[in-house]
Amino acid sequence: MSPRRASLQSEFVRIGFTDAEAAADRMLVLSEAGYDDVLDPADFVMAADPDRALTVLVDIAADNPACRAVLADPVHKTRLLSLIGLSESLGGFLQRYPKLVEAVVPDNAQGATQRILASICGDNPMLDLRVAYRRELLGVAARDLSGEALLPTTMAELTGLADAALQACYELAATQVGDAASTVRLAVVAMGKCGAEELNYISDVDVVFVAEPNGDASKDEAMRAGQQIASKLMQIANAATSEGSIWEVDAALRPEGKAGALVRTVDSYVAYYAKWAKTWEYQALLKARPAAGDLELGAGYVDAVIDFVWSAADRENFVDDVQAMRRRVEAHIPEKQAAREIKLGRGGLRDVEFAVQLLQLVHGRSDVTLRSRATLNALEALAIWGYVGREDAAGLSAAYRFLRILEHRVQLRQMRRTHLFPDRESELRIVARSMGMRTDPAAEIEAAFAKQVRQVRRLHEKLFYRPLLNAVARLDSGEARLTPEAAEERLRALGYQDPKGALRHLESLTNGVSRRAAIQRTLLPVMLGWFADCPDPDAGLLGFRRVSDELGSTPWYLRLLRDESQTAENMAYILASSRFTTDLLLRAPEAVQILADNENLRARPAADISVEAVTAGLRQSDPEAAIAAIRATRRRELFRISAADCLDQLSVDEVGLALSAIADATIQAALAVATQAIEFDGRCAEDLIEFVVIGMGRYGGEELGYGSDADAMFVYRTRPDVDETMASDAALAVANELRRLLSLPSADPPIDMDTDLRPEGRNGPLVRSLASYEAYYRRWSAAWEAQALLRARPVAGSPALQDAFVAVIDPIRYPSGGVSPADLTEMRRLKARMEAERLPRGADPAMHVKLGRGGLTDVEWVAQLQQLQHGHEVEELRTPRTVAVLEHCAATGLIEEQDCDRLVDAWRLASSIRDAIMLSSGRASDSVPTDYRTLARVAHLLHYPPQDRGAVPEDYRRLTRRARQVMERIFYGLP
């Protein structure tokens, strides 16, 4: 090996070539061609991929004086080697057109428009246009990659090239249309990044087409010609040639999208935006800019529609719409790509753009200084005028610049429209080197990307809220702040119904120099955002203030929220979503600790709750004090379950079981207290009788909802050697004392013990002996009572008496011969009567979750008929739980699996809606809500996506309609 060759190989290894031997061969070729005086191996240090740069250079340098001239100038040489060392696509273009290497020489894009327009005058305008466009692209990319052009300059130059190409396509299209083109004035209005003059290297160019008749031409003639020109313009830009296409011209942002007219008049656009447009369409108009064609007409269009942009924030549900659109974008990212999405992912470019645009739309109504199309310019204005903190704006701007540059580098590699962070180390290394990272490029760029994404997401979440605190805080005179009016405007746009009240809460929470106020100022920007994501942000903020007023002085509370973000987020969600759960928390604020870990939100074992409640009650000497202690246990457990429900940690079946277990424990503890409190002749009631509480209805079925009554019956048995009269009196006294204790006035959700399902209903005795029950059921019970007993479940009292009572009722509720024809007729008659008479006046039968068509009662009666018919033979049907009965029926072939699924789906949705109504409002209702605000709260708690919350009634109708069809066939025997 020659000394020169060896020296070159050694040098190329040091520089970072991966194939130093081949590189030495290529360098010798250039040396033989006379390039030693203008090229040195050290020059390739600046290339992201030096192997590729040298390979391309060998090809374009041969017999090319233009290349030698470029390399002779140090600045131009840096541009060229930076360009061909990163972009394989543009390097390949130069290999095909080596004379165009001179395109890297100009210091700006001046004259590009004229050169691009001139390219369409030859014999092959489609190909010539693409070659001319890429020639100009060489210069833009070279200045960008060499570090001479900053990001705003690069984006502006790319947009200028796009405008020129659009104009060239427009002129070619008009020529192809012929004389008809003279009948129309047509404007090409750029939207999106092109409209904002923030275009990428490879991006769709979003446009809308505006047309007006020219001269004496009729509107119909003009619209036909405009349609033809617009269609041909898009075909010309999108068509493939030997040099590919330019980029895709996309007109999907026009009214009605791809289904709408391609071309409209200004008046037609205005009429559409005034009546039909969605919030996102107004948001899109923020970027509108005349780009090609009749620029005067384009400017007229922008002037005509711009007022819609600055009134968008006045629309109902404005913020919901904007945030829902952002969530939809995130939801459509393939899971495998989500973490690598530079543009659309969490913490990506779209987060910055959405945040800035939302602030512009909110505050730009009254502040014209914010009305900029460009993201960075708008962000700067927001910071200057105090709508965003200066440090936050600087951090967001730096992150945005980094991510846009990264996106540009990734696209330049193959000139492909991509927004994905590379996943191969070799690609990461090249892209990182192009951004100046040389020590450990792949690791450096991964760390930088992760840091910037975190920074964007953090600032995105606080951007709207930090200045709100400044509006109410005592600041140094030099610190930017929103005016109170601007703060109110922002809160109102973010969904707060009482902005003045919200500002008072913020002032109360954050003013002062205490540690408490300082932590609140740290917490609130993020919490305000969490509140605003929920249906009732005002309630969330008010609840937070009330809890903080109660616990703010305790050392653990604010530290917990500050250090455990999950706690703070869970708390914010609950406070702004559920009045029921919030009220429980306000009465037991220390329960906020439950929210620190999702493990705490699991339902506790029923036995553990019962032991705790009984122990707490019996520890007190006074019955009223005892029931207060029992209620404290119940309150905390109700908070645990309702919080878990709100946070989607429990299914509706699990909620029913958990609420029933809490009721069991409460009644068991209250019964223990009542039994001890009742005495006759100095003897405790427990010495006189055995006493049992039997759960009935949904309570017996372990299917309690938050607003359900605790249906119950009372049974006693006289102990040996006790007078029957005394025993009867003692039993009645225990029952009355139990009911009294449970009904004592309290701010907690009540426990209403309903005893109407006892024999003879309200006319019968409140308490009966076991023998009395046995005699009654043997001689007098009606078919409906046997049906009611299907859900009878002992919940408290003597275990021996519980077993004895079950033995008495099992033959009644699971008859050996099944349901007699007479009893079946009576059941059907009673069900039909209920449907006709018990539905509340004015209630919609299709929307009543309990008594309506396909609702809870329909499903439960189907299950209960199966139990009456087959419970004697099929032991698995001897359960009080509706879903379990239906699933066992399907498993044993008593009903079809599809029928079971339809019944269960309807029952679960009806139960969930019922619970969500109670959770959201604190008031029970059995009708699916129809007004928007109530429906939004219920749908939110059912965990419907924001954009689908209006679907709850339709989903309910669909599922219950199917369930009703099954019910009519199985229960009524209809075909």
Side-chain angles (χ1 to χ4, degrees), residues 671 690-692 717 719 796-803:
L671 178 61
E690 294 175 90
F691 192 94
V692 168
R717 183 165 60 184
R719 292 193 183 278
S798 162
L801 182 54
Q802 291 182 22
D803 293 342

Side-chain angles (χ1 to χ4, degrees), residues 1 22 27 43 115 186 199 294 378 420 465 483 591 607 622 625 681 721 732 736 759 845 854 874 940 969:
M1 182 185 299
M27 194 67 186
D43 292 332
R115 289 190 291 272
L186 183 70
L199 205 59
D294 191 321
L420 290 179
Y465 309 108
T483 65
D622 177 68
D681 293 339
D721 301 324
L732 182 60
N736 282 328
V874 183
H940 175 75
R969 179 161 34 83

Side-chain angles (χ1 to χ4, degrees), residues 89-135:
S89 176
L90 292 179
F93 177 74
L94 273 177
Q95 287 172 306
R96 294 190 297 277
Y97 300 94
K99 303 298 183 186
L100 296 185
V101 70
E102 63 186 7
V104 306
V105 172
D107 292 333
N108 54 49
Q110 187 175 4
T113 299
Q114 288 73 26
R115 289 190 291 272
I116 288 174
L117 290 175
S119 70
I120 63 174
C121 298
D123 295 335
N124 195 348
M126 298 274 280
L127 177 62
D128 293 345
L129 173 58
R130 283 149 179 75
V131 172
Y133 177 80
R134 281 171 176 71
R135 178 195 184 282

Side-chain angles (χ1 to χ4, degrees), residues 696-699 703 707-711 754 756-757 791 831 834-835 838-840 843-862 864 906-915 917 924-928 956 960 963-964 967:
M696 302 289 286
R698 288 180 72 85
Y699 176 35
E703 297 163 349
S708 301
D709 292 342
D711 294 317
D754 189 334
D756 289 353
L757 292 177
R791 306 181 87 178
K831 179 70 172 71
M834 286 176 57
E835 293 176 12
R838 291 186 58 187
L839 198 69
D844 181 354
M847 303 296 280
H848 198 274
V849 299
K850 180 179 180 182
L851 301 172
R853 295 189 290 269
L856 295 171
T857 304
D858 271 6
V859 177
E860 289 161 2
W861 281 54
V862 171
Q864 289 158 21
W907 188 92
R908 283 177 171 155
L909 181 57
S911 297
S912 297
I913 290 173
R914 207 181 195 195
D915 282 349
I917 292 170
S925 173
D926 286 330
S927 290
V928 178
Y956 181 78
T960 53
R964 179 67 180 191
M967 182 268 184

